[in-house]
Amino acid sequence: MIQFVGSSGLITLRTKGNYRLTQQVGHADYSVWDEGRIIAQGGRSLMERVFQLAGSCIGSIL
């Protein structure tokens, strides 16, 4: 199991189970993490949608 390691360059916006939505400080770069692995990166609205789906169908795709 890989664990998420935060940094001063990331802001955690939401968490749900093993999933985390982050923003890079000073940028409009967003990522969805599954524990310590980035599973998606992109704009905020798309990453919020991916985060909402995290754990349902995304887990079966990966």
Side-chain angles (χ1 to χ4, degrees):
M1 173 170 60
I2 301 169
Q3 287 190 285
F4 176 83
V5 178
S7 77
S8 59
L10 289 177
I11 299 169
T12 298
L13 302 174
R14 295 186 197 171
T15 58
K16 176 173 68 172
N18 292 335
Y19 298 96
R20 183 177 308 268
L21 174 63
T22 63
Q23 176 186 6
Q24 185 175 348
V25 173
H27 298 279
D29 298 332
Y30 297 85
S31 301
V32 176
W33 298 73
D34 178 1
E35 295 182 347
R37 178 177 66 161
I38 295 174
I39 58 172
Q41 287 184 303
R44 184 170 187 149
S45 61
L46 178 59
M47 291 305 100
E48 286 183 348
R49 181 73 178 131
V50 170
F51 180 79
Q52 289 174 352
L53 294 172
S56 56
C57 63
I58 291 176
S60 62
I61 295 170
L62 300 174

